[in-house]
Amino acid sequence: IFASIPGYVTQTHAYTSQGEYWAGTWIKDHTPETAYLVTDPGTGYVMRALTLRNASAYFMLPDGRAPADPSAVYPNIVGLLFAIFQSTNAREAWNRTIALGFTDVYVVLSTRTVLWAQSNSSILVTHPFPGIDFSGELRVFERPWFEPAYQSAEVYVFRVLPA
């Protein structure tokens, strides 16, 4: 798929990077079909398409509604996800992640996620950004609450450890 992209097209023209593609491939091959991916809406949209896993705000509630619809279960799923990435330490991030109520949970941290977390929850980051510094966000997703599962220059995946 990436071999067919014309030479004049730069990274900022592509909706999905090679790093995101390979992370999606890893997720599809190494996580259960029931996995839920905690991430920003832009990355969630891409990962949902690549992995067929529930991701970000892109999943169906048990009653058949999307979480973006009014729901007593998730009245503001994007706000809840944003709060996870605003956490100041691993325990706080873990508590907020566990409070979502999913099992088989993974955190996907991409360049989009970093930009989204540094901005506000109402934006949708529509493409990857090379050269983003992950250091601030990486210090939040640490053991003993998160286990590194996959890493590339553009995407980190952490398994959320159970209580």
Side-chain angles (χ1 to χ4, degrees), residues 73-126:
V73 179
Y74 298 106
N76 181 10
I77 187 67
V78 173
L80 295 172
L81 294 167
F82 191 73
I84 292 168
F85 294 102
Q86 297 298 303
S87 300
T88 57
N89 61 65
R91 178 65 180 210
E92 181 180 38
W94 183 84
N95 284 336
R96 289 174 173 173
T97 303
I98 294 299
L100 293 174
F102 294 99
T103 57
D104 300 322
V105 181
Y106 293 79
V107 173
V108 179
L109 186 61
S110 73
T111 60
R112 300 170 201 250
T113 315
V114 173
L115 287 175
W116 181 68
Q118 293 173 353
S119 301
N120 68 67
S121 65
S122 66
I123 69 164
L124 179 67
V125 182
T126 59

Side-chain angles (χ1 to χ4, degrees), residues 5-10:
I5 297 174
Y8 63 85
V9 176
T10 66

Side-chain angles (χ1 to χ4, degrees), residues 135-153:
S135 61
E137 283 72 17
L138 287 176
R139 65 180 162 70
V140 173
F141 299 102
E142 298 178 325
R143 294 181 189 268
W145 298 284
F146 300 92
E147 177 179 66
Y150 176 88
Q151 174 184 338
S152 73

